[in-house]
Amino acid sequence: MVSSGNKVRVTLACFFAYFVMSGMLAPIGIVLPPLAEYLGRPIADVAPIFSWLTLGILLGSALALVVFDVLTVRVWTLLVYLAIVLALLTLRLSDSTLALKLSLGVVGTACGIGLAAAASTITQLYSEDHRASMLVITDGSFSVAGIVISTLAVSLVAAGFHWSSSYLAVAAVAAIVVLLVATASFPTGNEADDQGRSRDTWPASVWLCIAALFLYTLGQYSLLWWLPTYLEESLGAPRDAAGAVVARFWTGMLIAQLLVAWWVLRIGARRLVLLSVSGAFLGSLPLWLNDSLTLLPWLSLLWGVANLGLLKIVISFATLAVPNPSPRLVAALLFGATSGTAISPKITSVVVTALNTRAVLQFGSLCYLVLGILVFVAWWLMRSRAESVQS
């Protein structure tokens, strides 16, 4: 039995784990131009450096499928967030490009393991009735980080601070995670039962959702990372105004997730998932169809709201496809999402080099379109299966 105070500490640690992940990813589009200036290289050449972060996240997500068999979730959480603190300090203390890459790789790998640990802990800590809502609220923490760290990055860059200064705030949050976990007891699941469930064959709808999550993160970061550069180069927006458009997206995401955390308890993930994928696609179109610098911050806000917490809605929806979703299923779904994040810097840089920044925004919308098709097919398969069981 987990005490209420201990449950709060564990839950906060899980929420802050999402904050750290978002805090690393959200300001990339904002810090890219000053980093390129700092290194004296074109932005398109510098952007792939962040693939060390995103590929590290992918590696960490893959390791999360096996590492918890070696040490407990609590021990791994302590180790990886302590590593994040040390690696982020290195970003500020060293001017070496190699040290930058290695530090980002360490942070990414640690975030990948930490995010899977947080999602699995939430799955074990809360009952089925509240699990979907809590998973959506973790995305709220993700969005808060997007707002806070993006806004902080805009302010620090505009003030002429070192390009990595906003990441020191992320390091502070990682240190809080270490303190919370060190003073808390984590829930223990039935390992034999978990291993038995992990051997179950997942239906096609689960695999479609994994592919959809891959496209979601690829599309999202195609838009978020290159939108500031597009606004600067094509529309002549000041750098701080271009970065503020990204912060507006995270504000919209937070508004939506606060609503969805309540709404999902009443209408269920099956209905919300179709609304969220439609909103994500339609909301992304005006970002490259409209050229009004006055309207774009509001359009970005609406796009964030229209997402309706898509990532966790799809995860919650996918868990409905199996009778007893295991933590390993959650880790596999997160692996799909982190795979899209991992290849985003390289793929988007190729698109920008071959075409232009507007084309990479269009590419992001295309990812959302295919994502919507995959989720609809998964929804149809799950509905057909449920009807056949009832008949």
Side-chain angles (χ1 to χ4, degrees):
M1 189 71 178
V2 181
S3 68
S4 59
N6 184 76
K7 190 173 185 178
V8 169
R9 288 196 297 274
V10 174
T11 302
L12 284 175
C14 293
F15 286 175
F16 284 141
Y18 279 83
F19 188 103
V20 170
M21 175 82 146
S22 178
M24 291 303 304
L25 296 172
I28 289 179
I30 299 167
V31 302
L32 261 178
L35 174 59
E37 293 175 1
Y38 183 77
L39 298 177
R41 296 163 60 184
I43 294 177
D45 291 345
V46 172
I49 290 177
F50 282 95
S51 64
W52 284 74
L53 172 68
T54 55
L55 287 173
I57 294 171
L58 178 62
L59 174 61
S61 299
L63 290 174
L65 295 171
V66 296
V67 295
F68 300 126
D69 295 332
V70 180
L71 296 173
T72 65
V73 170
R74 180 176 179 273
V75 171
W76 274 113
T77 305
L78 283 171
L79 291 175
V80 298
Y81 284 97
L82 182 59
I84 288 173
V85 173
L86 296 176
L88 289 180
L89 291 177
T90 304
L91 290 182
R92 184 62 185 87
L93 299 176
S94 175
D95 293 332
S96 166
T97 302
L98 177 59
L100 166 62
K101 292 178 179 179
L102 292 176
S103 295
L104 290 174
V106 169
V107 173
T109 304
C111 281
I113 295 173
L115 209 65
S120 298
T121 301
I122 289 290
T123 300
Q124 294 181 358
L125 199 61
Y126 289 90
S127 65
E128 183 176 347
D129 292 341
H130 295 91
R131 189 180 302 148
S133 181
M134 294 305 297
L135 286 172
V136 171
I137 294 174
T138 59
D139 259 1
S141 179
F142 200 91
S143 296
V144 168
I147 298 167
V148 172
I149 302 302
S150 294
T151 303
L152 181 62
V154 169
S155 300
L156 293 175
V157 166
F161 283 86
H162 190 270
W163 69 270
S164 68
S165 296
S166 60
Y167 284 140
L168 294 179
V170 180
V173 176
I176 293 174
V177 173
V178 173
L179 292 175
L180 287 170
V181 174
T183 58
S185 299
F186 273 48
T188 56
N190 188 327
E191 295 181 1
D193 185 52
D194 287 345
Q195 291 172 359
R197 283 183 287 171
S198 69
R199 290 191 292 267
D200 291 343
T201 301
W202 294 335
S205 53
V206 169
W207 294 104
L208 288 172
C209 287
I210 292 174
L213 289 170
F214 167 83
L215 290 170
Y216 170 66
T217 50
L218 176 59
Q220 176 171 280
Y221 291 115
S222 296
L223 289 153
L224 290 180
W225 288 346
W226 290 100
L227 185 58
T229 304
Y230 166 72
L231 296 178
E232 284 189 57
E233 294 181 352
S234 300
L235 303 185
R239 180 167 292 175
D240 57 344
V245 173
V246 174
R248 285 289 184 91
F249 165 80
W250 293 110
T251 303
M253 282 279 282
L254 176 60
I255 293 170
Q257 285 150 2
L258 292 175
L259 294 173
V260 169
W262 166 81
W263 203 9
V264 73
L265 292 173
R266 285 153 180 79
I267 72 171
R270 285 187 177 89
R271 296 179 183 176
L272 273 180
V273 73
L274 296 181
L275 290 175
S276 61
V277 296
S278 300
F281 168 65
L282 295 175
S284 70
L285 299 179
L287 298 179
W288 49 269
L289 287 174
N290 187 283
D291 59 0
S292 170
L293 292 176
T294 303
L295 288 177
L296 276 168
W298 297 104
L299 292 173
S300 181
L301 177 73
L302 290 175
W303 174 44
V305 173
N307 269 267
L308 292 176
L310 176 57
L311 176 65
K312 291 304 165 54
I313 290 296
V314 173
I315 290 178
S316 300
F317 169 71
T319 61
L320 299 176
V322 295
N324 296 303
S326 66
R328 192 159 296 185
L329 171 60
V330 177
L333 291 163
L334 288 172
F335 180 75
T338 52
S339 298
T341 304
I343 69 168
S344 294
K346 185 63 177 180
I347 295 297
T348 58
S349 295
V350 169
V351 174
V352 170
T353 301
L355 300 171
N356 52 51
T357 51
R358 188 169 188 264
V360 80
L361 302 184
Q362 294 169 332
F363 173 73
S365 294
L366 177 62
C367 290
Y368 278 152
L369 176 61
V370 180
L371 147 72
I373 294 172
L374 293 179
V375 169
F376 178 79
V377 173
W379 177 87
W380 180 80
L381 289 173
M382 288 176 61
R383 182 180 179 183
S384 299
R385 184 178 179 183
E387 289 176 349
S388 64
V389 170
Q390 291 176 357
S391 61

